[in-house]
């Protein structure tokens, strides 16, 4: 009887966790953020405890699983809409190599050593740091690399505005001013508060408005 109870719970929670992950819209493991991993660990622990405690009421285990899932769904929506909340929960991408130069200050801040950098570059078929124009450490821990070969400034998207907030560091990189942005938005009849995301690509500014993501 005990074996049947444990087996039944294992099947039940397998189905429940599968449905929960479907609702949360989870991505591949390599694309998970820190928050995604934390939620994954919590859900797996809750499910394991529920299967072990086969004599307890199953609802006692289901309720915390559903609560954690609901918190994750709500948090994901807030992160999508608000960059301040996104920065708190997920952080920001870090530029490790900028125009061919290693940003050691950022590497120390992210506890990312030269060995980690070289390993990631080799995994992408890059033999030397000299081949790299830009390298960005993403919030999920992956390293995005842009080589010097065939790469010129502006050949990949750079964030200019996030939720109405101008990214001044990016403006400095592309030698532009806030007046340049204001003129562009004025011509397009768009206010900064309406901008969800604006990025610079191929020497052009592209804008995604808040209404475009609803």
């Amino acid at each position: 009887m005990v074996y049947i109870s444990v087996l039944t719970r294992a099947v039940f929670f397998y189905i429940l966790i599968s449905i929960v992950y479907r609702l949360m819209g989870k991505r591949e493991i390599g694309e998970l953020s820190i928050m995604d991993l934390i939620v994954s660990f919590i859900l797996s622990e809750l499910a394991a405890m529920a299967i072990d405690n086969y004599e307890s009421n199953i609802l006692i285990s289901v309720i915390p699983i559903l609560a954690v899932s609901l918190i994750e769904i709500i948090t994901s929506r807030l992160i999508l809409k608000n960059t301040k909340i996104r920065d708190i929960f997920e952080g920001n991408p870090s530029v490790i190599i900028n125009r061919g130069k290693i940003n050691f200050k950022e590497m120390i801040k992210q506890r990312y050593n030269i060995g980690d950098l070289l390993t990631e570059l080799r995994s992408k078929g890059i033999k030397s740091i000299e081949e790299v124009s830009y390298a960005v450490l993403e919030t999920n821990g992956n390293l995005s690399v842009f080589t010097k070969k065939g790469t010129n400034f502006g050949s990949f998207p750079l964030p200019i505005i996030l939720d109405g907030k101008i990214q001044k560091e990016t403006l400095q990189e592309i030698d532009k001013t806030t007046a340049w942005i204001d003129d562009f938005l004025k011509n397009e009849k768009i206010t900064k508060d309406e901008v969800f995301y604006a990025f610079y690509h191929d020497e052009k500014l592209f804008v995604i408005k808040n209404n475009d993501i609803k």
Side-chain angles (χ1 to χ4, degrees):
M1 190 68 182
V2 172
Y3 297 110
I4 295 176
S5 178
V6 172
L7 179 61
T8 302
R9 281 174 174 260
V11 173
F12 173 78
F13 282 104
Y14 172 79
I15 295 172
L16 177 62
I17 297 298
S18 297
I19 293 173
V20 164
Y21 268 80
R22 261 316 218 190
L23 292 174
M24 291 192 299
K26 295 297 96 181
R27 298 159 285 181
E28 296 179 4
I29 294 299
E31 298 177 348
L32 295 181
S33 67
I34 294 174
M35 288 304 301
D36 292 332
L37 287 174
I38 291 173
V39 170
S40 297
F41 289 142
I42 292 175
L43 291 179
S44 62
E45 284 297 318
L46 289 173
M49 291 169 59
I51 295 171
D52 288 339
N53 300 325
Y54 55 86
E55 293 181 351
S56 63
N57 189 324
I58 199 168
L59 285 177
I60 295 177
S61 303
V62 171
I63 290 173
I65 289 176
L66 294 180
V68 170
S69 305
L70 182 60
I71 292 172
E72 165 65 7
I73 292 172
I74 293 173
T75 303
S76 297
R77 294 295 178 87
L78 292 174
I79 287 173
L80 179 65
K81 298 288 185 179
N82 192 302
T83 53
K84 291 182 179 179
I85 296 177
R86 186 185 309 130
D87 292 344
I88 293 172
F89 283 96
E90 295 191 347
N92 292 307
S94 302
V95 178
I96 301 299
I97 298 178
N98 187 0
R99 295 188 179 184
K101 296 181 180 180
I102 298 177
N103 188 344
F104 288 105
K105 184 177 180 180
E106 190 64 27
M107 288 182 68
I108 293 172
K109 180 181 176 181
Q110 299 299 327
R111 296 181 178 87
Y112 196 77
N113 60 52
I114 193 69
D116 296 330
L117 177 60
L118 293 175
T119 298
E120 283 295 321
L121 293 179
R122 285 195 298 269
S123 69
K124 299 179 185 299
I126 298 173
K127 299 177 182 179
S128 173
I129 293 176
E130 284 70 26
E131 298 178 39
V132 180
S133 179
Y134 292 90
V136 180
L137 184 63
E138 307 293 353
T139 55
N140 61 5
N142 288 337
L143 188 70
S144 298
V145 179
F146 305 88
T147 59
K148 292 179 180 179
K149 185 178 180 181
T151 301
N152 49 49
F153 193 71
S155 63
F156 56 93
L158 295 170
I160 297 293
I161 300 177
L162 293 176
D163 280 352
K165 184 179 179 181
I166 296 175
Q167 307 301 299
K168 294 182 179 179
E169 291 183 359
T170 306
L171 284 180
Q172 292 176 357
E173 291 290 340
I174 62 176
D175 297 324
K176 300 291 184 181
T177 64
T178 54
W180 169 72
I181 297 176
D182 292 337
D183 290 340
F184 178 88
L185 296 179
K186 185 177 180 180
N187 292 333
E188 297 293 324
K189 297 181 180 179
I190 302 172
T191 64
K192 277 186 289 189
D193 292 335
E194 293 180 275
V195 180
F196 172 71
Y197 180 53
F199 60 94
Y200 185 77
H201 182 58
D202 287 335
E203 299 184 358
K204 295 180 182 178
L205 184 63
F206 298 86
V207 175
I208 298 174
K209 295 189 292 185
N210 290 317
N211 293 334
D212 296 334
I213 63 170
K214 293 181 179 179

